[in-house]
Amino acid sequence: EAGVAQSPRYKIIEKRQSVAFWCNPISGHATLYWYQQILGQGPKLLIQFQNNGVVDDSQLPKDRFSAERLKGVDSTLKIQPAKLEDSAVYLCASSLGRIRETQYFGPGTRLLVL
Amino acid sequence: DQQVKQNSPSLSVQEGRISILNCDYTNSMFDYFLWYKKYPAEGPTFLISISSIKDKNEDGRFTVFLNKSAKHLSLHIVPSQPGDSAVYFCAARQNNAGNMLTFGGGTRLMVKP
């Protein structure tokens, strides 16, 4: 079974530029999560989707971050404009459902904002 | 406000010995706890979990202990192997928050041959 796929794996941009990350969850997984992991810290949930609807985006900085999951499968996370403090690994995870299901993580996208 | 804390950023253990990784939490609404393991350039992978109605869960070389009164859990790896060298994250889930996980900051385990 294929795991969670993410691209790109690495991205370097200058502050105030925009960037987008892509995630393809495990086939059949209805719930998709985006996490931000700053160096030396644990992952922090940014947004959770159930199919193509948002379940929780309370920790998403909505002035610059946006995410969508239009057809309930792939998802994109966008940052516009990027700030230096956005440098982090962005992890995508998926699970079968949204209640007490194991989350499976992708390899992440490492973002460096200069 | 860190609700899940792993106070040891790193731990070094000799191969064959026991590794003990600790985790403390503050939110009494957490009722399910998980450990994830992360290798460099990979995403975290699920290792073992425990429900708050239990105080111990074992899976091969890995055992997780939960002390609810102290709001403390620990992961024991016996015997430790060089392949166990990774960053270990403790995570917690709240009983009324769906599947949302709150992670600790991680502990880097190094198992020396």
Side-chain angles (χ1 to χ4, degrees):
Chain A
E1 178 182 87
V4 176
Q6 290 188 246
S7 68
R9 293 296 308 275
Y10 304 93
K11 191 74 177 178
I12 301 174
I13 61 172
E14 295 188 350
K15 60 183 179 183
R16 292 187 289 273
Q17 286 187 322
S18 62
V19 64
F21 313 126
W22 173 83
C23 173
N24 180 243
I26 293 173
S27 177
H29 280 196
T31 310
L32 185 146
Y33 316 78
W34 282 102
Y35 288 85
Q36 180 193 57
Q37 185 183 7
I38 293 172
L39 188 65
Q41 299 180 19
K44 183 185 83 170
L45 181 70
L46 292 175
I47 189 168
Q48 177 182 343
F49 291 95
Q50 177 71 11
N51 295 310
N52 59 353
V54 175
V55 174
D56 186 337
D57 64 355
S58 57
Q59 300 192 84
L60 187 74
K62 298 180 187 64
D63 57 334
R64 298 183 301 105
F65 286 64
S66 64
E68 60 183 12
R69 194 184 183 200
L70 290 175
K71 296 182 179 179
V73 180
D74 294 4
S75 177
T76 55
L77 175 70
K78 296 180 182 177
I79 308 175
Q80 183 180 0
K83 292 185 175 181
L84 297 177
E85 59 261 35
D86 298 332
S87 295
V89 176
Y90 291 85
L91 294 161
C92 179
S94 70
S95 64
L96 273 173
R98 59 179 291 259
I99 304 295
R100 302 186 179 281
E101 296 283 351
T102 299
Q103 295 183 29
Y104 297 88
F105 284 81
T109 296
R110 184 175 296 275
L111 174 67
L112 179 60
V113 182
L114 302 176
Chain B
D1 175 28
Q2 266 192 292
Q3 299 186 65
V4 179
K5 289 185 182 179
Q6 294 177 254
N7 291 318
S8 297
S10 65
L11 174 69
S12 182
V13 170
Q14 204 66 36
E15 180 180 6
R17 307 292 290 268
I18 184 172
S19 295
I20 300 176
L21 295 93
N22 294 304
C23 177
D24 297 294
Y25 62 95
T26 57
N27 188 341
S28 57
M29 299 294 286
F30 288 145
D31 69 343
Y32 197 80
F33 304 89
L34 307 90
W35 286 93
Y36 277 80
K37 175 180 178 179
K38 185 181 183 306
Y39 291 118
E42 295 183 12
T45 55
F46 170 72
L47 190 58
I48 193 170
S49 62
I50 187 167
S51 165
S52 60
I53 63 173
K54 295 185 175 182
D55 55 16
K56 177 183 174 181
N57 188 27
E58 193 171 351
D59 183 3
R61 297 186 297 112
F62 302 91
T63 303
V64 56
F65 295 92
L66 175 62
N67 182 333
K68 282 185 65 177
S69 60
K71 293 190 175 66
H72 175 84
L73 64 155
S74 61
L75 174 68
H76 293 210
I77 307 174
V78 183
S80 300
Q81 299 174 353
D84 296 329
S85 297
V87 177
Y88 289 78
F89 291 100
C90 168
R93 191 160 62 199
Q94 200 165 309
N95 58 15
N96 62 350
N99 213 21
M100 177 180 168
L101 294 180
T102 302
F103 282 85
T107 296
R108 181 177 300 278
L109 173 67
M110 292 163 284
V111 180
K112 298 178 181 177

